[in-house]
Amino acid sequence: MPLVPDTDYGTPALTAEKMVSLTIDGFSVTVPEGTSIMRAAMEIGIKVPKLCAYDMVDAFGSCRLCLVEIEGRAGTPASCTTPVAEGIKVTTQNQRLGRIRRNVMELYISDHPLDCLTCSANGNCELQDMAGAVGLREVRYGYAGENHLDAEKDASNPYFTFDPAKCIVCSRCVRACEEVQGTFALTIDGRGFASHVAAGMDEGFLGSECVSCGACVQACPTATLMEKSVIDAGQPEHSVVTTCAYCGVGCSFKAEMKGDQVIRMVPWKDGKANHGHSCVKGRFAWGYTQHRDRMLKPMVRERITDPWREVSWEEAIGRVASEFRRIQAQHGKGAIGGITSSRCTNEETFLVQKLVRAVFGNNNVDTCARVCHSPTGYGLSRTFGTSAGTQDFDSVEDADVIIVIGANPTDAHPVFASRMKKRLRQGAKLIVIDPRRIDLVRSPHIEADFHLPLLPGTNVAMVNALAHTIVTEALTDAAYVRERCDLDAYAAWEAFIRQPENSPETVAAYTGVPAENIRAAARLYATGGNGAIYYGLGVTEHSQGTTTVMGMAHLAMITGNVGKRGAGVNPLRGQNNVQGSCDMGSFPHELSGYRHLSDSTTREMFERDWGVSLDPEPGLRIPNMLDAAVDGSYRGIYIQGEDILQSDPDTHHVAAGLAAMECVVVQDLFLNETARYAHVFLPGSTFLEKDGTFINAERRIGIVRKVMQPKNGYADWEITQLIARAMGKDWDYTHPSQIMDEIARLTPTFAGVSFERVAKESLQWPVNDKAPDGTPIMHVGTFVRGKGNFLITEYVPTDEKTGPRYPLLLTTGRILSQYNVGAQTRRTANTVWHEEDRLEIHPHDAEDRGIRDGDWVLLRSRAGETSLRAKITDRVAPGVVYTTFHHPDTQANVITTDYSDWATNCPEYKVTAVQVSPSNGPSKWQEEYEALSRETRRVVQVEAAE
Ligand code: SF4
Ligand code: SF4
Ligand code: SF4
Ligand code: FES
């Protein structure tokens, strides 16, 4: 579509029970009480000139450009700060108002460079527009007086510049940073003529607390804050609305383009997940899509020690098909399988699992979601009946008490974190349960009421102790439990939870959290109004991940906190399409919509549609595939968009499994680590190069639109189809919408979903006859499974124990600027914020070991060792160390163990007993790895050049 700026109503939308009617320039309008006159005018298409107002932030009333007259009132009030009143008659344009506005504009322009024609904002500048709108033709004061025209530009941020010469000190940026992002990095410093925008302590953007979310850039009405990509390439000309491919928030963006070149990604105000906000990754870190490391040609090799050889698509696909057929003929149908990706679209994921079930003829399909949120699926389906979170993101606006457990939203789900922080600034209470003092515990204008810094591995004990307090202190919502829950299951659970071993006093000994804090937090959650639980991988990636999910579901049910706004149990999903990849039937035992293979009615439905018979026996999970490979019974694998060598636990075992296979096919954007063991490499396509859908953490189906042709020649779904066809199937999808139609046909929770509908409006599943417009809040009135279920959640300490050799507990997490194993973000300027993974260690533990800040340290566990540099901080408690896992040369997974969740095999990444000691630099394997990677790259380049 042509580039049309989002409509700016000047002030934020309000909701109010009472509506107010008034007349503006002779036209009637009715709006909610409290709405500004400016917004009311804009609702009927009357644009009042403005500069300091912007509808993402509260009005400030500083520029005096938006003055209006109100019949019977003296003066000329600012329409942005004056609320509507019943029956008033407003005039927005007349000679007097025009004169005042021209005078105001004249003052602004007299201290502004007159370089419009060469300015990067030319044609898309509100100051320029307003000068035109108020009819300013000349500036009477001249430009010789004192001005800011020589002020120095700040280009320290890698993605945008700040040019104070162009600043009109409207403070839109400052308010955006405070109100939208919640970082408070900017202030207006100085007074009068000297007043200016200051980042941090006036130290420049890069040195300040700025997290590069871009909200200020978007808010700026001039070229003062401007994307470097626009400065370099000029203003975009058209735009396409699509969905961010990074995290599970699923922000909507307008890809603003010039020809087929992306100029910038601008968060879309109508996006239901983000309402026009963004974080540094989605907003700026899209350069990886055109990075020189991207592989664009298929490659094959006989042995993994051979150099790669670039080949045609026909040859590569032919190789895959013939190898897979050969392996099946020699070793049986079950000797091959596939892995779907949580980064690819639903349609692509659905096709991979279809390939495995309908073409390979087995159920050896699994997904990387196994290693993050599989306990969510299982835990919530056993208790509530659905494998997904209960709320939409907007629901947080009604939360009174928020529990954040095992999640770090400001780093991993930043746009949702900004919404949450806004609610917290409005007065909602906060309980943080995390071994580490995450930013939410204390950040500008936010302080958690309780931080319960439990030892890694004790979540179940903590959740049980919270429930124990609520039950034994008679704080349950007994009426809710009576009406909504399975009373037999509840009675059994209640008898269990009342036992003294679940009391805060008992668990304090192993959680390390004082009993009175646990009790006080439980009381707050149970009695503080709407209680919402948000959690992440710090819950799921444990040997009892599923148990904790169930325990949180119990907490919500006993307090009546499911089935209404402001409440619920909400997994914050890591990757963009983790929810979707699970929904699409990526697990070996389930078809799409979480229906077990053993259900013959469901199976027959697929069999009829696909014209095949399906194996009713569940296939192998990823760890079992690797075990079977080592044993010799599993010989080939198709891995789409996943780097299991980096993301799966026990790297040595993954490597051994891959090395034992005869045909490893890797399809990805980059020659990833897993590709070191591949025989065929199929280049993948980015989210900008395909149509499809992603499903975010709130079950929202967001549209992904192709903004450019695939640089590699094919979208990922087309590559899967090529393999199916080469293996003898007549798949003939010509567009992913046909795949979505098939998903809808075969999946009751998606029955009402189509591309056409999702393109108009993102919907939250279930979308079907019972919920034609989707389901923002689940389990309203009744649970999907009928009565809410309770299960015994006994705390069983992990087998991974500390001792004299490994006295510290390692836990891991993400940092804002990086994403997962860093394949994308490490190929962007985001590296300025995080060049390497570091080990956070408490000052006492560091001192005991003679470690200083920045020293290289050796991190050893029972599984392996790695070296990285230390960061001494009291964010972690004594006895706990922490690192991120974004850099392959650190490979935190080398030291994680192979313990996993009892129900789902989700690896226990969050608890590893370790020892830390000073070291001289990288470990031996890291040096070898570096050399090997360089060698791999060199071989590719040499072969390609030939
Ligand atoms: S940088 Fe832009 S938004 Fe901020 S005060 Fe200056 S002109 Fe206004
Ligand atoms: S980019 Fe975001 S965090 Fe940084 S100053 Fe602007 S609004 Fe604040
Ligand atoms: S919060 Fe997540 S979805 Fe939104 S822009 Fe950032 S990475 Fe993308
Ligand atoms: S827009 Fe109303 S005072 Fe600036």
Side-chain angles (χ1 to χ4, degrees), residues 549-583:
V549 173
M550 291 170 174
M552 294 186 304
H554 299 156
L555 277 179
M557 287 190 285
I558 60 173
T559 53
N561 273 315
V562 190
K564 62 177 184 181
R565 280 179 64 84
V569 180
N570 303 286
L572 293 171
R573 303 280 187 160
Q575 299 186 67
N576 53 327
N577 202 33
V578 168
Q579 181 68 55
S581 71
C582 298
D583 298 341

mmCIF file of all heavy atoms in Angstrom, residues 549-583:
data_model
loop_
_atom_site.group_PDB
_atom_site.id
_atom_site.type_symbol
_atom_site.label_atom_id
_atom_site.label_comp_id
_atom_site.label_asym_id
_atom_site.label_seq_id
_atom_site.Cartn_x
_atom_site.Cartn_y
_atom_site.Cartn_z
ATOM 1 N N VAL A 549 3.995 -25.467 36.436
ATOM 2 C CA VAL A 549 2.882 -24.913 35.646
ATOM 3 C C VAL A 549 1.554 -25.324 36.275
ATOM 4 O O VAL A 549 0.635 -24.508 36.454
ATOM 5 C CB VAL A 549 2.969 -25.386 34.173
ATOM 6 C CG1 VAL A 549 1.726 -24.962 33.398
ATOM 7 C CG2 VAL A 549 4.223 -24.824 33.512
ATOM 8 N N MET A 550 1.449 -26.577 36.651
ATOM 9 C CA MET A 550 0.213 -27.038 37.294
ATOM 10 C C MET A 550 -0.010 -26.286 38.610
ATOM 11 O O MET A 550 -1.130 -25.881 38.932
ATOM 12 C CB MET A 550 0.282 -28.543 37.573
ATOM 13 C CG MET A 550 0.245 -29.400 36.324
ATOM 14 S SD MET A 550 0.635 -31.116 36.765
ATOM 15 C CE MET A 550 0.352 -31.926 35.203
ATOM 16 N N GLY A 551 1.068 -26.117 39.371
ATOM 17 C CA GLY A 551 0.952 -25.427 40.664
ATOM 18 C C GLY A 551 0.459 -23.999 40.499
ATOM 19 O O GLY A 551 -0.340 -23.504 41.299
ATOM 20 N N MET A 552 0.919 -23.328 39.428
ATOM 21 C CA MET A 552 0.459 -21.955 39.192
ATOM 22 C C MET A 552 -1.007 -21.948 38.774
ATOM 23 O O MET A 552 -1.778 -21.052 39.153
ATOM 24 C CB MET A 552 1.321 -21.301 38.115
ATOM 25 C CG MET A 552 2.761 -21.119 38.563
ATOM 26 S SD MET A 552 3.742 -20.192 37.388
ATOM 27 C CE MET A 552 3.490 -21.164 35.926
ATOM 28 N N ALA A 553 -1.396 -22.958 38.006
ATOM 29 C CA ALA A 553 -2.810 -23.065 37.618
ATOM 30 C C ALA A 553 -3.670 -23.253 38.871
ATOM 31 O O ALA A 553 -4.749 -22.657 39.003
ATOM 32 C CB ALA A 553 -2.994 -24.232 36.652
ATOM 33 N N HIS A 554 -3.178 -24.051 39.820
ATOM 34 C CA HIS A 554 -3.912 -24.230 41.086
ATOM 35 C C HIS A 554 -4.051 -22.899 41.815
ATOM 36 O O HIS A 554 -5.134 -22.564 42.301
ATOM 37 C CB HIS A 554 -3.178 -25.213 42.008
ATOM 38 C CG HIS A 554 -3.027 -26.588 41.435
ATOM 39 N ND1 HIS A 554 -2.024 -27.451 41.839
ATOM 40 C CD2 HIS A 554 -3.727 -27.249 40.492
ATOM 41 C CE1 HIS A 554 -2.139 -28.582 41.166
ATOM 42 N NE2 HIS A 554 -3.160 -28.484 40.350
ATOM 43 N N LEU A 555 -2.936 -22.158 41.892
ATOM 44 C CA LEU A 555 -2.969 -20.864 42.588
ATOM 45 C C LEU A 555 -4.060 -19.969 42.000
ATOM 46 O O LEU A 555 -4.816 -19.317 42.725
ATOM 47 C CB LEU A 555 -1.631 -20.138 42.431
ATOM 48 C CG LEU A 555 -0.484 -20.481 43.365
ATOM 49 C CD1 LEU A 555 0.738 -19.654 42.991
ATOM 50 C CD2 LEU A 555 -0.866 -20.222 44.818
ATOM 51 N N ALA A 556 -4.104 -19.938 40.667
ATOM 52 C CA ALA A 556 -5.085 -19.072 39.999
ATOM 53 C C ALA A 556 -6.506 -19.550 40.279
ATOM 54 O O ALA A 556 -7.405 -18.740 40.520
ATOM 55 C CB ALA A 556 -4.802 -19.040 38.503
ATOM 56 N N MET A 557 -6.691 -20.868 40.282
ATOM 57 C CA MET A 557 -8.056 -21.377 40.491
ATOM 58 C C MET A 557 -8.522 -21.150 41.925
ATOM 59 O O MET A 557 -9.665 -20.745 42.154
ATOM 60 C CB MET A 557 -8.128 -22.864 40.121
ATOM 61 C CG MET A 557 -8.085 -23.097 38.619
ATOM 62 S SD MET A 557 -8.463 -24.792 38.138
ATOM 63 C CE MET A 557 -6.970 -25.657 38.586
ATOM 64 N N ILE A 558 -7.669 -21.384 42.891
ATOM 65 C CA ILE A 558 -8.147 -21.264 44.281
ATOM 66 C C ILE A 558 -8.414 -19.812 44.663
ATOM 67 O O ILE A 558 -9.110 -19.535 45.638
ATOM 68 C CB ILE A 558 -7.173 -21.904 45.311
ATOM 69 C CG1 ILE A 558 -5.790 -21.239 45.261
ATOM 70 C CG2 ILE A 558 -7.099 -23.405 45.108
ATOM 71 C CD1 ILE A 558 -4.852 -21.720 46.376
ATOM 72 N N THR A 559 -7.904 -18.887 43.862
ATOM 73 C CA THR A 559 -8.174 -17.475 44.158
ATOM 74 C C THR A 559 -9.187 -16.876 43.178
ATOM 75 O O THR A 559 -9.381 -15.658 43.151
ATOM 76 C CB THR A 559 -6.864 -16.661 44.100
ATOM 77 O OG1 THR A 559 -6.222 -16.918 42.843
ATOM 78 C CG2 THR A 559 -5.923 -17.038 45.232
ATOM 79 N N GLY A 560 -9.790 -17.720 42.355
ATOM 80 C CA GLY A 560 -10.802 -17.226 41.408
ATOM 81 C C GLY A 560 -10.215 -16.361 40.314
ATOM 82 O O GLY A 560 -10.884 -15.484 39.778
ATOM 83 N N ASN A 561 -8.961 -16.638 39.957
ATOM 84 C CA ASN A 561 -8.278 -15.769 39.010
ATOM 85 C C ASN A 561 -8.117 -16.378 37.622
ATOM 86 O O ASN A 561 -7.081 -16.195 36.971
ATOM 87 C CB ASN A 561 -6.910 -15.376 39.588
ATOM 88 C CG ASN A 561 -7.018 -14.141 40.472
ATOM 89 O OD1 ASN A 561 -7.671 -13.160 40.106
ATOM 90 N ND2 ASN A 561 -6.413 -14.199 41.644
ATOM 91 N N VAL A 562 -9.131 -17.092 37.169
ATOM 92 C CA VAL A 562 -9.128 -17.568 35.778
ATOM 93 C C VAL A 562 -10.500 -17.261 35.185
ATOM 94 O O VAL A 562 -11.529 -17.432 35.848
ATOM 95 C CB VAL A 562 -8.893 -19.089 35.678
ATOM 96 C CG1 VAL A 562 -8.655 -19.501 34.220
ATOM 97 C CG2 VAL A 562 -7.730 -19.536 36.540
ATOM 98 N N GLY A 563 -10.489 -16.789 33.931
ATOM 99 C CA GLY A 563 -11.762 -16.555 33.255
ATOM 100 C C GLY A 563 -12.253 -15.130 33.356
ATOM 101 O O GLY A 563 -13.433 -14.864 33.157
ATOM 102 N N LYS A 564 -11.352 -14.213 33.654
ATOM 103 C CA LYS A 564 -11.746 -12.792 33.703
ATOM 104 C C LYS A 564 -10.535 -11.938 33.325
ATOM 105 O O LYS A 564 -9.401 -12.418 33.329
ATOM 106 C CB LYS A 564 -12.244 -12.432 35.097
ATOM 107 C CG LYS A 564 -11.192 -12.606 36.190
ATOM 108 C CD LYS A 564 -11.732 -12.167 37.549
ATOM 109 C CE LYS A 564 -10.634 -12.256 38.599
ATOM 110 N NZ LYS A 564 -11.074 -11.871 39.936
ATOM 111 N N ARG A 565 -10.793 -10.690 33.029
ATOM 112 C CA ARG A 565 -9.693 -9.782 32.699
ATOM 113 C C ARG A 565 -8.833 -9.515 33.942
ATOM 114 O O ARG A 565 -9.305 -9.598 35.061
ATOM 115 C CB ARG A 565 -10.236 -8.459 32.159
ATOM 116 C CG ARG A 565 -10.648 -8.534 30.703
ATOM 117 C CD ARG A 565 -11.208 -7.213 30.231
ATOM 118 N NE ARG A 565 -10.214 -6.147 30.254
ATOM 119 C CZ ARG A 565 -9.331 -5.899 29.291
ATOM 120 N NH1 ARG A 565 -9.326 -6.649 28.216
ATOM 121 N NH2 ARG A 565 -8.464 -4.909 29.399
ATOM 122 N N GLY A 566 -7.590 -9.181 33.703
ATOM 123 C CA GLY A 566 -6.700 -8.819 34.802
ATOM 124 C C GLY A 566 -6.163 -9.996 35.579
ATOM 125 O O GLY A 566 -5.523 -9.812 36.613
ATOM 126 N N ALA A 567 -6.396 -11.206 35.109
ATOM 127 C CA ALA A 567 -6.031 -12.387 35.891
ATOM 128 C C ALA A 567 -5.286 -13.384 34.993
ATOM 129 O O ALA A 567 -4.598 -12.996 34.058
ATOM 130 C CB ALA A 567 -7.299 -12.998 36.473
ATOM 131 N N GLY A 568 -5.432 -14.682 35.337
ATOM 132 C CA GLY A 568 -4.953 -15.721 34.447
ATOM 133 C C GLY A 568 -3.545 -16.222 34.710
ATOM 134 O O GLY A 568 -2.837 -15.759 35.604
ATOM 135 N N VAL A 569 -3.186 -17.215 33.902
ATOM 136 C CA VAL A 569 -1.858 -17.826 33.930
ATOM 137 C C VAL A 569 -1.287 -17.673 32.519
ATOM 138 O O VAL A 569 -1.843 -18.205 31.557
ATOM 139 C CB VAL A 569 -1.945 -19.316 34.320
ATOM 140 C CG1 VAL A 569 -0.555 -19.944 34.348
ATOM 141 C CG2 VAL A 569 -2.625 -19.469 35.665
ATOM 142 N N ASN A 570 -0.197 -16.926 32.428
ATOM 143 C CA ASN A 570 0.233 -16.447 31.117
ATOM 144 C C ASN A 570 1.681 -16.786 30.821
ATOM 145 O O ASN A 570 2.584 -16.145 31.368
ATOM 146 C CB ASN A 570 0.060 -14.930 31.058
ATOM 147 C CG ASN A 570 -1.366 -14.535 31.344
ATOM 148 O OD1 ASN A 570 -2.243 -14.706 30.508
ATOM 149 N ND2 ASN A 570 -1.612 -14.030 32.541
ATOM 150 N N PRO A 571 1.910 -17.761 29.962
ATOM 151 C CA PRO A 571 3.291 -18.044 29.551
ATOM 152 C C PRO A 571 3.786 -16.946 28.619
ATOM 153 O O PRO A 571 3.086 -16.557 27.686
ATOM 154 C CB PRO A 571 3.153 -19.368 28.790
ATOM 155 C CG PRO A 571 1.729 -19.413 28.323
ATOM 156 C CD PRO A 571 0.917 -18.623 29.309
ATOM 157 N N LEU A 572 4.966 -16.434 28.885
ATOM 158 C CA LEU A 572 5.563 -15.473 27.956
ATOM 159 C C LEU A 572 6.439 -16.291 27.017
ATOM 160 O O LEU A 572 7.491 -16.784 27.408
ATOM 161 C CB LEU A 572 6.365 -14.426 28.723
ATOM 162 C CG LEU A 572 5.485 -13.509 29.585
ATOM 163 C CD1 LEU A 572 6.327 -12.629 30.488
ATOM 164 C CD2 LEU A 572 4.557 -12.662 28.728
ATOM 165 N N ARG A 573 5.942 -16.495 25.829
ATOM 166 C CA ARG A 573 6.608 -17.389 24.880
ATOM 167 C C ARG A 573 7.870 -16.757 24.324
ATOM 168 O O ARG A 573 7.892 -15.570 24.068
ATOM 169 C CB ARG A 573 5.658 -17.697 23.723
ATOM 170 C CG ARG A 573 4.347 -18.300 24.168
ATOM 171 C CD ARG A 573 4.529 -19.765 24.441
ATOM 172 N NE ARG A 573 3.273 -20.415 24.716
ATOM 173 C CZ ARG A 573 3.091 -21.729 24.614
ATOM 174 N NH1 ARG A 573 4.082 -22.496 24.259
ATOM 175 N NH2 ARG A 573 1.938 -22.263 24.902
ATOM 176 N N GLY A 574 8.876 -17.587 24.123
ATOM 177 C CA GLY A 574 10.159 -17.059 23.702
ATOM 178 C C GLY A 574 10.191 -16.654 22.242
ATOM 179 O O GLY A 574 10.293 -15.479 21.914
ATOM 180 N N GLN A 575 10.058 -17.623 21.353
ATOM 181 C CA GLN A 575 10.222 -17.313 19.938
ATOM 182 C C GLN A 575 8.885 -16.894 19.335
ATOM 183 O O GLN A 575 7.818 -17.193 19.865
ATOM 184 C CB GLN A 575 10.772 -18.525 19.208
ATOM 185 C CG GLN A 575 12.131 -18.939 19.739
ATOM 186 C CD GLN A 575 12.735 -20.052 18.924
ATOM 187 O OE1 GLN A 575 13.080 -19.862 17.777
ATOM 188 N NE2 GLN A 575 12.864 -21.216 19.505
ATOM 189 N N ASN A 576 9.007 -16.230 18.199
ATOM 190 C CA ASN A 576 7.834 -15.651 17.554
ATOM 191 C C ASN A 576 6.691 -16.631 17.359
ATOM 192 O O ASN A 576 5.529 -16.273 17.497
ATOM 193 C CB ASN A 576 8.237 -15.055 16.195
ATOM 194 C CG ASN A 576 8.980 -16.056 15.323
ATOM 195 O OD1 ASN A 576 9.701 -16.903 15.822
ATOM 196 N ND2 ASN A 576 8.809 -15.973 14.028
ATOM 197 N N ASN A 577 7.015 -17.877 17.036
ATOM 198 C CA ASN A 577 5.913 -18.803 16.727
ATOM 199 C C ASN A 577 5.975 -20.088 17.547
ATOM 200 O O ASN A 577 5.603 -21.156 17.066
ATOM 201 C CB ASN A 577 5.881 -19.113 15.223
ATOM 202 C CG ASN A 577 4.511 -19.587 14.792
ATOM 203 O OD1 ASN A 577 3.491 -19.159 15.345
ATOM 204 N ND2 ASN A 577 4.462 -20.487 13.837
ATOM 205 N N VAL A 578 6.432 -19.966 18.779
ATOM 206 C CA VAL A 578 6.444 -21.153 19.651
ATOM 207 C C VAL A 578 5.015 -21.665 19.842
ATOM 208 O O VAL A 578 4.753 -22.866 19.774
ATOM 209 C CB VAL A 578 7.033 -20.811 21.026
ATOM 210 C CG1 VAL A 578 6.779 -21.924 22.001
ATOM 211 C CG2 VAL A 578 8.510 -20.592 20.926
ATOM 212 N N GLN A 579 4.103 -20.731 20.085
ATOM 213 C CA GLN A 579 2.715 -21.153 20.279
ATOM 214 C C GLN A 579 2.215 -21.876 19.025
ATOM 215 O O GLN A 579 1.647 -22.956 19.095
ATOM 216 C CB GLN A 579 1.842 -19.937 20.582
ATOM 217 C CG GLN A 579 0.372 -20.262 20.827
ATOM 218 C CD GLN A 579 0.162 -21.036 22.112
ATOM 219 O OE1 GLN A 579 0.572 -20.608 23.180
ATOM 220 N NE2 GLN A 579 -0.474 -22.190 22.007
ATOM 221 N N GLY A 580 2.462 -21.247 17.877
ATOM 222 C CA GLY A 580 1.964 -21.819 16.630
ATOM 223 C C GLY A 580 2.588 -23.167 16.325
ATOM 224 O O GLY A 580 1.892 -24.098 15.897
ATOM 225 N N SER A 581 3.885 -23.306 16.558
ATOM 226 C CA SER A 581 4.513 -24.582 16.206
ATOM 227 C C SER A 581 3.926 -25.707 17.051
ATOM 228 O O SER A 581 3.783 -26.834 16.580
ATOM 229 C CB SER A 581 6.035 -24.510 16.334
ATOM 230 O OG SER A 581 6.431 -24.436 17.671
ATOM 231 N N CYS A 582 3.554 -25.388 18.299
ATOM 232 C CA CYS A 582 2.894 -26.412 19.125
ATOM 233 C C CYS A 582 1.463 -26.648 18.625
ATOM 234 O O CYS A 582 1.003 -27.788 18.538
ATOM 235 C CB CYS A 582 2.862 -25.983 20.587
ATOM 236 S SG CYS A 582 4.484 -25.781 21.313
ATOM 237 N N ASP A 583 0.773 -25.562 18.298
ATOM 238 C CA ASP A 583 -0.613 -25.690 17.834
ATOM 239 C C ASP A 583 -0.722 -26.532 16.561
ATOM 240 O O ASP A 583 -1.740 -27.161 16.299
ATOM 241 C CB ASP A 583 -1.208 -24.303 17.518
ATOM 242 C CG ASP A 583 -1.267 -23.388 18.729
ATOM 243 O OD1 ASP A 583 -1.198 -23.894 19.860
ATOM 244 O OD2 ASP A 583 -1.384 -22.162 18.535
#
